Amino acid sequence: MDATTPGLLAPDVLDRADVRAALIEHDFAAVFTLIKKWGGLSQNRIASACQLTPGKVSTIISGTQRVTSFEVVCRIADGLRIPGALLGLAPRAWEHHQHTDQHHPSKTPETPGDGPDADGIPWRPDATVKLAAHLTRSDLVMDRRALTRALAGAAATGAALLDSLEGWLVPAAAAPVQRRPGRLGMRDVEELETTAQAFRQWDHQYGGGLRRKAVLGQLAEVAGALGDHQTPDVERRLHCVMAQLAGTAATMAWDSGLHRRAQEYYRLALRAAHAGGDVVFGANVLAGMARQMLYRDRPDDALQLINLAQEGARDVIGPRVRAMLHTREAWAYAAQGRHAGFQRATTRAAEALADALPDGDEPYWIAYFDEAELAGVTGGRLLDLARTDPRQHADQAAGQIRTALSLRGAEAGRSHALDRIGLAECHFLAGDIGSGAAEAHRAVAAARGTQSERVRSQLGQLYPYTVGRSASRSVREARDSIRDLLAS
């Protein structure tokens, strides 16, 4: 709803004493009940106006959930055109517009947390487009202070995360038809698809960093195009492009240390894939979210995300995607200490990958998942196990990581650097200090070629192995090289 949309409520509804009392107290159970009674609005209409799900409106009315978020209060005020003074807020931007017929709001740059929260937004294409516009706009104008707050933001976990994703399993709700006709044709969409593919390759090779702004700018352009009424085929493919760009923005944000922001882009990617009918990419997004949870030491959440991906896409995914999902499943089992589950899922991944054809019809974005990736991921998970039982797992982990290094080389960028770091740790765990120090030097050299914060974080975990061994010159030099890079 924009600033020129007439209010949904007649003035006499907002003049009622019982309505005003409920608004001042922020008793939204009473507010919504009275609006239904005196304003004639259904729960669905209230939900749509306030960018909430009908289910959330129902829980608010029943009293089982209270509105405590300042951002949600602002959405209710703007959606239902309730003057800010009635809710203890500053005058809203649309109030100024109504009085002056010229809308020149004084606005500071948005920061993460302002605007729509994906938890309460209905799974509807137009709501997804609004979410994309907000996220990109706030990111592109983010200043240092906002960046500091974003870096401190923690990703959602548990029910707060998982419950918000259930909409992926049901058909997308119909969106109202936009008024302005769009002008994009299939050639335009194909160019956008090519650009999205190039950005994804950037991320795979270099990680986050300065390239993230370019991805956000393109994502904002796609959101703008979807704000118009395109033909059905163009609209569907634009949603798929949005999903791919948002997925890339998520991994780049994660690489930049913006964990909460990464999760917001993952959610956007899932919603866009849902709107575009791209179930396979939706499963891939859930796998990315699971990987993020694994890095945050939340294997239970990760396993549930993988189960959600498998449940929603089991009948349509190809062997490479299936293999990738099994490796994430194996990762979660390893993190839980479930060795038998890890072995079973790893075997299934290898079997699925063996069924993949070199010229198969699977999407381009899963082509990276080959024998090298399987070896690298398996080696990394064996390394997880080696940290508690190095005698049993360290040599096996090193063997898998060496296979990955021999198959994909330095051009793999971020993955190559992570492999080098993992192999160095394997040597240290196995007691081969000289080889560990030598490999640590190679890891630092590889890390210098990427701007990935994930790589730097892994190097930080390698650093303690070089402490307390000052008698060895090679270890001292490895320690100094890691410290110099992390301090740069």
Side-chain angles (χ1 to χ4, degrees), residues 200-207 410-415 449-451:
R200 194 172 187 86
Q201 181 57 35
W202 277 6
D203 173 54
H204 181 67
Q205 187 167 0
Y206 303 110
E411 65 274 9
R414 179 176 56 204
S415 295
T450 176
Q451 298 182 33

Side-chain angles (χ1 to χ4, degrees), residues 185-246:
M186 281 301 177
R187 179 172 294 182
D188 300 307
V189 176
E190 289 168 0
E191 290 178 357
L192 289 170
E193 290 170 341
T194 300
T195 302
Q197 185 171 349
F199 284 153
R200 194 172 187 86
Q201 181 57 35
W202 277 6
D203 173 54
H204 181 67
Q205 187 167 0
Y206 303 110
L210 297 176
R211 294 170 180 83
R212 196 170 76 91
K213 293 288 188 179
V215 175
L216 297 178
Q218 190 67 78
L219 182 55
E221 290 291 331
V222 172
L226 278 167
D228 298 336
H229 180 49
Q230 309 289 349
T231 64
D233 286 345
V234 167
E235 184 172 306
R236 178 186 61 79
R237 287 176 64 172
L238 280 176
H239 274 113
C240 293
V241 172
M242 175 183 282
Q244 294 178 30
L245 289 169

Side-chain angles (χ1 to χ4, degrees), residues 294 299-300 302-303 327-338 381:
L294 288 162
D300 295 348
L303 197 55
T327 61
R328 300 291 162 85
E329 185 181 4
W331 190 343
Y333 287 139
Q336 292 174 330
R338 298 170 60 183
R381 307 299 64 79

